[in-house]
């Protein structure tokens, strides 16, 4: 922790990489990560460009094989607001270019909080677009045989409500999910369910 703003974004499926959002008071923040080695968490390291940019990057999810990272950014080459991107690890260990998930997943509104399931075939994310029932809703998109994504589906009530529903994560066995929601009878603005 620093005097700035830190927030936990996600943890790798192996439990050895913790992704953080960090802002030092500047207009935008970036994605950092810490590795668990030798029985302790090591100091966070800022992800390099092209993952981080001069713009906002604030959520990320790493594939099970740790070769693809999905993240959200408001960089100007997107379709509008925040969009979802991916980057693939190169043979030399560096990260490849940030590639937009395109109009299959992104809308002129905000998309955020990607979560790639352990099977790498299902992507959960939050969006204010498509057929949102209020603010951010959680959507699911399935990978197509050609590598793109099918039309995202709103996962519906009781997870989605008229408030903001975001930051959805599901256990590898598919039996439990965790998410943040702004509900009428919650304990505060956003609560974890």
């Amino acid at each position: 922790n620093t005097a700035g703003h830190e927030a936990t974004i996600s943890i790798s499926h192996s439990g050895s990489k913790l992704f953080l959002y960090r802002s030092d008071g500047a207009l935008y923040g970036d994605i950092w990560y810490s590795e668990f080695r030798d029985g302790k968490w090591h100091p966070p390291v800022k992800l390099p460009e092209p993952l981080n940019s001069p713009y906002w990057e604030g959520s990320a999810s790493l594939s099970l094989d740790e070769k693809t990272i999905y993240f959200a950014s408001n960089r100007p080459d997107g379709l509008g607001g925040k969009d979802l991107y991916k980057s693939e690890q190169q043979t030399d260990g560096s990260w490849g270019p940030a590639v937009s998930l395109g109009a299959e997943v992104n809308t002129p509104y905000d998309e955020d909080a990607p979560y790639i399931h352990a099977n790498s075939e299902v992507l959960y994310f939050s969006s204010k677009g498509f057929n949102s029932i209020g603010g951010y809703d959680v959507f699911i998109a399935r990978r197509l045989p050609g590598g793109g994504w099918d039309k995202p589906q709103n996962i519906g009530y009781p997870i989605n409500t008229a408030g903001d529903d975001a930051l959805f994560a599901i256990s590898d066995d598919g039996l439990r999910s965790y998410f943040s929601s702004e509900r009428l009878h919650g304990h505060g603005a956003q609560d974890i369910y």
Side-chain angles (χ1 to χ4, degrees):
N1 291 313
T2 68
H5 172 71
E6 282 87 23
T8 302
I9 296 174
S10 65
I11 193 163
S12 63
H13 293 279
S14 67
S16 64
K17 291 184 175 75
L18 179 67
F19 290 90
L20 312 165
Y21 168 81
R22 179 177 277 179
S23 172
D24 60 5
L27 186 57
Y28 300 118
D30 292 306
I31 301 168
W32 295 61
Y33 77 100
S34 173
E35 289 192 72
F36 189 79
R37 295 188 318 265
D38 305 321
K40 65 179 181 178
W41 288 103
H42 288 258
V45 176
K46 184 177 175 180
L47 287 173
E49 290 188 19
L51 293 165
N52 284 314
S53 73
Y55 300 93
W56 176 92
E57 283 81 30
S59 56
S61 180
L62 192 62
S63 63
L64 180 65
D65 65 5
E66 301 190 357
K67 302 288 187 193
T68 306
I69 189 168
Y70 297 84
F71 63 99
S73 177
N74 71 348
R75 54 189 71 192
D77 64 348
L79 295 179
K82 299 173 189 171
D83 283 345
L84 301 184
Y85 294 81
K86 73 173 183 175
S87 176
E88 295 182 353
Q89 193 171 48
Q90 307 300 295
T91 54
D92 65 359
S94 66
W95 289 101
V99 177
S100 170
L101 297 190
E104 297 166 321
V105 172
N106 294 313
T107 70
Y109 304 97
D110 287 333
E111 279 70 46
D112 197 0
Y115 180 81
I116 188 70
H117 190 271
N119 64 18
S120 295
E121 300 297 318
V122 178
L123 178 70
Y124 296 92
F125 64 97
S126 295
S127 176
K128 291 182 177 178
F130 299 106
N131 56 341
S132 170
I133 58 176
Y136 277 112
D137 277 356
V138 178
F139 288 82
I140 182 174
R142 290 177 175 81
R143 189 182 304 278
L144 296 171
W149 301 95
D150 70 354
K151 183 178 178 182
Q153 300 295 312
N154 187 313
I155 63 173
Y157 183 84
I159 290 175
N160 290 325
T161 65
D164 282 333
D165 307 292
L167 304 165
F168 182 89
I170 191 164
S171 61
D172 290 352
D173 62 12
L175 298 178
R176 293 170 308 285
S177 62
Y178 304 88
F179 60 98
S180 172
S181 183
E182 185 177 317
R183 297 182 182 225
L184 183 61
H185 300 292
H187 293 285
Q190 289 276 328
D191 291 331
I192 299 170
Y193 293 85

